[in-house]
Amino acid sequence: MSIIHHAYKIQSTKIFPEMITIHTQYMSRALSLAKNGLRMTSPNPMVGCVIVKDGRIIGEGWHKKYGNPHAEIEAINDANSRGESVRGSTVYVTLEPCSHYGKTPPCANRLVDEGVSEVIIAMRDPNPKVNGKGINILRENGVKVTELPEFEPDAKFLNRGFVFVHKYGRPFVSLKAAISLDGRMNLSNGSSKWITGLESRTESHRMRAENDAVLVGVSTVISDDPELTVRHVEGINPLRVILDSHFRTPILSKVIGNDNKCLIITSENPDREKAKALTDMGATIAEVSSANGHVDIHSVLKYLADKGILTLMVEGGPEILSAFLREGLADYMRLFIAPKIFGEGKSIDINMNFADVKSAFTLTNTITRILGTDIMTEGRLSCSPDL
């Protein structure tokens, strides 16, 4: 079961059963269509649209790629290709139609021009350039607008990165950790390959394919020499980010690759000769402010958001994972537990002293699965702000 369907089952059917009977078929279809744009639309959101007339779908579409027509236009074009007129129709769309000129003209104006009767939306656009303005354009021109709050949780989680960038100025951050039964992330000698089995590692690659960027610390690069690419599943390689406070990344590290998608973030003036060698290999180097002698994570997240990164997966070692938790900058977690006992070794240590069990960080809306011989548990972290 997908995260979105999981959230929908819990939240929607309980609160608004009478509305679900009317709208589930079409808005669920629109949400499903929106997911087809995964990793292709950033920094824009994923949006799906279904056009209904006389009780049947006459057109549908989704935002396929950044800079391409938005979902509403794709659906209108689809209807026209079927020989259908959208005049007098009802439009189901997962996000409020845009109201400003960007890469494409405003969708709200186009819907007015096409003469649709009603637009039904799952959530308002958090972008201050839109946020309610698209709805106002529609209503001011005689188009009925219906908002479905029961679908808002699913629509927000689908575009959690887009919501976070506009609401909090940073990407949505997911942590990935693999541990032994006794909570260790490596042996006492630092070895960590492989804690989990093939099924879990395949799932990790799927997670990479779902995120705009993946981040590790330079210690992981030095000790494991990872590639951080998508290999066991189909998908697009994410931007590979290395937190390297003191510019220690080896020049021949596999993570640099040959696709110009490796970003090294440091907090001190890098050695020019080494910097040139790394950039010649295809890496990009960025400097941000420091905190306590290390790269400041808040500055890193702002930098990534400014570069159009909406979702970030952190799969570094215990120090990096602990830092994100300690700073309250972790929103979701996938924890892989292998049937092994390591004894000595490092674990996640956020160095926080909670007063009681209730105040400790908690995973909510959890999903647990068996992957080969491993157990994976995932959910929202209680330290994460609201969507």
Side-chain angles (χ1 to χ4, degrees), residues 316-349:
E319 291 84 3
I320 291 292
L321 294 171
S322 298
F324 274 87
L325 285 166
R326 188 167 52 249
E327 295 294 325
L329 295 173
D331 307 301
Y332 201 86
M333 188 168 193
R334 286 184 174 98
L335 185 66
F336 297 83
I337 305 172
K340 298 178 174 72
I341 297 175
F342 282 3
E344 295 295 326
K346 289 187 177 181
S347 61
I348 297 176
D349 180 12

Side-chain angles (χ1 to χ4, degrees), residues 14-167:
K14 181 177 179 181
I15 302 176
F16 298 97
E18 69 283 354
M19 293 298 290
I20 287 168
T21 301
I22 299 171
H23 297 302
T24 296
Q25 176 184 355
Y26 301 127
M27 191 58 80
S28 294
R29 175 60 180 166
L31 285 166
S32 180
L33 289 168
K35 289 186 285 184
N36 290 327
L38 180 67
R39 292 290 316 283
M40 299 301 295
T41 63
S42 295
N44 281 354
M46 294 176 280
V47 184
C49 180
V50 172
I51 302 177
V52 178
K53 190 173 183 180
D54 299 326
R56 60 190 180 88
I57 295 176
I58 63 169
E60 56 183 29
W62 67 92
H63 185 31
K64 296 178 179 177
K65 187 178 180 181
Y66 176 65
N68 281 17
H70 290 183
E72 299 93 325
I73 309 307
E74 292 280 5
I76 291 170
N77 292 340
D78 181 48
N80 292 339
S81 71
R82 303 185 193 190
E84 301 280 1
S85 169
V86 301
R87 184 166 297 278
S89 65
T90 297
V91 177
Y92 287 80
V93 62
T94 58
L95 183 72
E96 174 187 1
C98 64
S99 58
H100 66 290
Y101 282 87
K103 290 286 184 180
T104 61
C107 292
N109 297 71
R110 177 67 183 274
L111 291 170
V112 170
D113 293 341
E114 293 287 340
V116 305
S117 294
E118 183 177 8
V119 175
I120 299 177
I121 67 173
M123 66 172 284
R124 294 195 175 204
D125 194 325
N127 185 345
K129 292 181 179 179
V130 182
N131 202 300
K133 297 181 179 69
I135 290 174
N136 290 339
I137 288 173
L138 293 168
R139 286 177 173 162
E140 288 168 0
N141 286 277
V143 179
K144 180 181 178 182
V145 178
T146 301
E147 299 180 61
L148 300 180
E150 67 272 24
F151 286 94
E152 186 178 44
D154 289 349
K156 281 186 173 180
F157 194 81
L158 175 69
N159 281 308
R160 50 200 178 275
F162 184 73
V163 172
F164 261 58
V165 164
H166 286 290
K167 196 171 182 179

Side-chain angles (χ1 to χ4, degrees), residues 210-228:
E210 293 175 353
N211 285 275
D212 293 330
V214 58
L215 181 148
V216 297
V218 68
S219 295
T220 296
V221 174
I222 292 171
S223 62
D224 296 345
D225 196 18
E227 295 181 49
L228 300 183

